[in-house]
Amino acid sequence: MKKNILLVVVIAFLSLPMFGQKYAYIDSEYILSNMPDYTEAQAELDRVAVEWQKEIEQQFAKIDSMYKKYQTEAITLPENMKQKREEAIIKAEQDAKDLQKKRFGKDGDLTKKREELVTPIQDRVFTAIDEYAKEKGYAFVFDVAGAMTIIYADPKWDINDQIMQKLGVTAKDENEDEE
C-alpha cells in the first residue's frame, strides 16, 4: 500500500513540469503567403515550370509528327529504313522522357530551383520561430499547415502575427485576394 501511494506521489511530482509548459502554433503557409519574397520565388518557380513543360511538350509533339510521318511512309520504305526510323522514334521518346525526369523528377531541376529560391526564405521563418519560441519560453510550437491535425486551437496561442512581425512582414488584407 505504501509503495502504491509513493508511486502515485512520484508520478504526480514528475508530471508537474508538463502542466507548466507553454504551447503555441503557427500556420507556415499563412506566414509564407504574406512574404513578398516567397510569393516572388513561387512565381519564378511557376514560370520556369511552365517553360520547361512547354519544352517537353514540343519534344513529344515532334515525336508524334515523326510517328505519323513514319506510318504514312512505312508501306513504301525498305525494311532497313523502317528499322532506322523506328529506332529514331524510340530514341526521341527516350530523350523526351529523360528530359522530363531531369526537369521534374525527384532530384530534378525544379527541385533544385525550389531549394535555391524557397529554402533560404523558409530557413528565415524557422529561425524567427525558433528565436521567438525561446524568447517566450514555449516548449512546443506546432505548425497547423502540414499533415498534423489539430482539432481545436485556442487563438490565444496563435503566434503567426508575432513571427511575421519578427520577419518584418505585414499581413495581406483578405480583401486584396478577392480583387
Side-chain angles (χ1 to χ4, degrees):
M1 182 74 171
K2 285 185 180 184
K3 287 182 183 180
N4 289 342
I5 293 174
L6 182 60
L7 183 63
V8 169
V9 170
V10 168
I11 290 173
F13 181 71
L14 291 175
S15 64
L16 280 178
M18 289 190 332
F19 295 111
Q21 293 177 345
K22 291 171 59 178
Y23 305 95
Y25 69 92
I26 54 110
D27 182 343
S28 59
E29 289 177 14
Y30 170 75
I31 292 171
L32 289 169
S33 69
N34 280 285
M35 297 180 71
D37 47 348
Y38 180 78
T39 52
E40 288 169 16
Q42 282 299 117
E44 174 66 12
L45 283 172
D46 292 345
R47 185 194 64 74
V48 167
V50 166
E51 181 182 310
W52 289 341
Q53 185 61 39
K54 283 180 183 176
E55 177 185 16
I56 291 166
E57 287 172 2
Q58 287 172 349
Q59 282 196 356
F60 279 112
K62 181 181 170 187
I63 293 164
D64 190 47
S65 173
M66 288 170 65
Y67 183 70
K68 287 178 180 174
K69 184 178 178 184
Y70 167 76
Q71 283 182 317
T72 58
E73 297 174 352
I75 299 169
T76 60
L77 289 174
E79 203 56 43
N80 65 340
M81 285 300 289
K82 283 183 185 180
Q83 183 82 22
K84 285 182 181 180
R85 292 265 186 100
E86 288 170 3
E87 289 171 1
I89 292 169
I90 291 169
K91 184 179 180 338
E93 281 182 331
Q94 189 58 50
D95 290 346
K97 287 177 184 177
D98 289 346
L99 180 62
Q100 191 171 31
K101 186 177 179 181
K102 178 182 181 257
R103 296 289 194 213
F104 298 105
K106 183 178 174 230
D107 295 320
D109 294 340
L110 189 63
T111 301
K112 291 174 186 169
K113 190 75 170 170
R114 179 175 284 113
E115 287 173 6
E116 172 191 327
L117 296 173
V118 175
T119 300
I121 299 166
Q122 290 173 327
D123 288 347
R124 278 187 25 231
V125 171
F126 294 134
T127 300
I129 292 167
D130 186 56
E131 290 172 0
Y132 186 82
K134 287 177 182 172
E135 288 170 13
K136 299 298 181 180
Y138 289 111
F140 297 97
V141 176
F142 299 99
D143 186 356
V144 296
M148 188 178 126
T149 303
I150 294 180
I151 304 301
Y152 171 78
D154 188 336
K156 76 178 181 181
W157 299 113
D158 178 351
I159 60 170
N160 285 320
D161 293 335
Q162 293 87 336
I163 299 302
M164 289 173 31
Q165 181 180 7
K166 192 164 192 60
L167 289 163
V169 175
T170 347
K172 293 178 188 169
D173 185 11
E174 289 183 25
N175 294 332
E176 286 179 22
D177 293 337
E178 294 173 7
E179 293 175 7

